[in-house]
Amino acid sequence: MSQGPGVAFAASKKKKSTKKKSPPKPPPAPVAQTLRSYTGPNSTRLVLDLSRTTTFKVETDSSRKTFSVLVPSGLESPSFGRPVLDDGAVTGIDADETPDGFRLTVHMVEWNPPRVFGLDGDDGQAARVVVDVVRPGQAERDAAERARVDRLTASARRILVVDPGHGGEAVGAIGPKRTYEKDVTLAIGRRLKEELEKQPGVTVVLTRTGDYDVPLRERYRVAERYQADAFVSIHCNSSKRATGSGTEVYFLSLSSASDEASKTLADVENAADKISAGPETGTGDDDLVGILFDLKQTESMQQSSVLAEAILGEIESGRRLEARGVRQAGFAVLKSPIVPSVLVETAFINNPAEERLLRDPGFQQEMGEQIARGVTAYLARAPVMARDNRTGVKPVETPANLGLAR
Ligand SMILES: [Zn+2]
């Protein structure tokens, strides 16, 4: 079975030439550089790196549980092997030069329509074809999560959501020694979870537990599903100069950022969603966020600022890094109008000295402990969240938490 005509790969910008020239030579076929795969809990993502943008089409065969990405122009692929993958969603991949062009065929465990989209190379990376294959058992996984949400939200436990920034193809900032932000944030996030759960009555939910990506909106929605007491996103800073240093803690700004550097930083972090969420997302819901914020913003943002101060205070007393201050900017991942949310820019990954720290397991542990102490100090003072189905816990109704009650 064939699916539709060609899918345009990126917007091809045609420049009209005013001069008459001899017909141009057809450009050389793009080169297939690598095929990367990321196995997540819900899907497997494949990313085909090309030397330049090109067009492709998708052909599906549901009865054989396969689909292929066909590049009609062909691909130079001198060193492109057939990657071996058998991860519970994908059972194998074939890469072939055929008379129709270059064909990448993906064999699935269970037929589900794949999602395929192209990304042009404007972020400094090669042009890419991105393929998402759904892992079988989505309904069961959703049911298991709903049961966990029901159990936890009905309990007296404090629930915290820790969000290791980036993941998978969205590597985040890259240090001079090729340290990826996504690896550091996961390492610190895991240590933070471990530290926080040493406190009695605390459960931590991670937005990701491996090297795969999660769209920004889904990250804060995890916190909303669990009606979490707080959401902490972990990142690494990066600046044009190699001398930037220290830790910043952010909470959301609805209007302007604290300063120009904070705005630039938020723009960079938000841009990651182009890869995470794909091209078709990014409108609609933000209006709703705006409306909800009108009602809830005061209480939730006040709590966010208290949480940010508590975390930065612990980092400051650790004296390992300069505490650069609590700032505000429009980070998309902080847009929950309900859950107090902060984003920790732990250190500057582009500064060689701080990159060395960020790679160091001892430092990762220390950072996890400091953030955990800040969150714990915040929880000791913060009002208990009044959850919909919580039993046996009477929320303390203070002016500060009346607005947080749901
Ligand atoms: Zn980041």
Side-chain angles (χ1 to χ4, degrees):
M1 184 178 85
S2 188
Q3 190 189 58
V7 179
F9 181 29
S12 63
K13 289 166 198 148
K14 280 187 184 161
K15 282 179 191 157
K16 277 190 181 169
S17 172
T18 48
K19 285 183 218 160
K20 279 194 175 174
K21 285 188 205 162
S22 54
K25 270 192 273 179
V31 179
Q33 289 162 331
T34 53
L35 182 73
R36 289 183 293 279
S37 71
Y38 304 101
T39 298
N42 298 320
S43 62
T44 293
R45 172 164 282 191
L46 306 172
V47 182
L48 176 63
D49 252 349
L50 303 171
S51 58
R52 64 169 171 82
T53 55
T54 186
T55 56
F56 63 86
K57 58 184 179 178
V58 180
E59 295 177 352
T60 60
D61 185 343
S62 58
S63 63
R64 295 178 58 209
K65 297 186 281 191
T66 67
F67 66 94
S68 44
V69 175
L70 179 69
V71 180
S73 66
L75 285 179
E76 297 281 332
S77 51
S79 58
F80 191 80
R82 193 169 78 174
V84 178
L85 185 65
D86 187 0
D87 68 353
V90 172
T91 58
I93 300 167
D94 299 325
D96 302 298
E97 286 292 347
T98 73
D100 298 334
F102 177 87
R103 186 181 289 276
L104 191 75
T105 303
V106 180
H107 304 270
M108 312 162 84
V109 172
E110 180 185 287
W111 169 253
N112 275 299
R115 188 170 80 129
V116 185
F117 60 93
L119 289 172
D120 58 21
D122 62 4
D123 59 351
Q125 299 206 39
R128 283 163 282 179
V129 180
V130 182
V131 174
D132 288 332
V133 179
V134 175
R135 174 171 296 271
Q138 184 69 54
E140 290 81 357
R141 282 193 301 279
D142 288 348
E145 203 218 4
R146 271 197 303 277
R148 187 174 184 224
V149 166
D150 287 348
R151 194 177 67 244
L152 279 172
T153 54
S155 76
R157 298 187 75 77
R158 308 298 296 260
I159 304 168
L160 301 165
V161 172
V162 169
D163 173 45
H166 310 273
E169 188 66 5
V171 298
I174 303 172
K177 288 231 160 27
R178 309 294 297 167
T179 308
Y180 287 160
E181 182 183 354
K182 65 171 182 177
D183 297 327
V184 175
T185 60
L186 184 59
I188 295 176
R190 283 179 174 146
R191 288 167 192 272
L192 174 56
K193 173 180 160 73
E194 212 179 290
E195 286 306 310
L196 285 167
E197 289 188 333
K198 287 180 180 169
Q199 301 295 319
V202 171
T203 295
V204 175
V205 179
L206 289 170
T207 56
R208 71 175 174 101
T209 55
D211 185 18
Y212 53 88
D213 200 6
V214 180
L216 295 177
R217 201 165 283 156
E218 171 58 19
R219 294 171 187 251
Y220 70 72
R221 283 192 179 149
V222 172
E224 295 188 337
R225 277 203 294 282
Y226 281 91
Q227 302 177 46
D229 292 277
F231 172 90
V232 181
S233 189
I234 308 294
H235 287 259
C236 304
N237 216 327
S238 185
S239 63
K240 285 206 178 89
R241 282 167 303 169
T243 51
S245 71
T247 306
E248 294 166 348
V249 184
Y250 283 84
F251 66 103
L252 184 65
S253 163
L254 294 173
S255 48
S256 57
S258 312
D259 52 73
E260 196 53 36
S262 301
K263 184 186 179 304
T264 308
L265 182 63
D267 289 346
V268 170
E269 299 285 17
N270 292 346
D273 228 24
K274 195 180 98 173
I275 305 167
S276 318
E280 72 269 32
T281 55
T283 51
D285 282 15
D286 284 347
D287 297 339
L288 181 64
V289 169
I291 294 162
L292 288 171
F293 255 117
D294 288 342
L295 304 171
K296 295 276 191 186
Q297 70 183 70
T298 315
E299 295 85 357
S300 176
M301 285 182 64
Q302 196 188 340
Q303 295 298 323
S304 300
S305 78
V306 174
L307 174 59
E309 294 286 356
I311 291 173
L312 198 75
E314 286 299 330
I315 287 164
E316 193 159 30
S317 65
R319 290 170 175 271
R320 184 86 172 249
L321 286 177
E322 179 198 351
R324 291 165 59 96
V326 167
R327 298 178 189 208
Q328 283 185 271
F331 290 100
V333 79
L334 300 181
K335 282 193 172 169
S336 167
I338 301 157
V339 179
S341 302
V342 298
L343 183 148
V344 184
E345 294 282 358
T346 49
F348 281 75
I349 201 168
N350 71 308
N351 171 333
E354 296 203 350
E355 180 191 35
R356 207 156 41 239
L357 285 178
L358 289 166
R359 294 165 74 101
D360 171 16
F363 176 82
Q364 293 167 354
Q365 174 65 25
E366 200 177 301
M367 185 54 79
E369 287 171 9
Q370 287 170 354
I371 299 171
R373 276 201 297 275
V375 174
T376 304
Y378 164 79
L379 286 180
R381 295 192 303 262
V384 172
M385 287 286 252
R387 299 195 179 103
D388 298 339
N389 55 350
R390 193 174 235 181
T391 51
V393 179
K394 216 168 181 248
V396 190
E397 297 219 332
T398 65
N401 81 337
L402 281 174
L404 292 169
R406 278 157 292 146

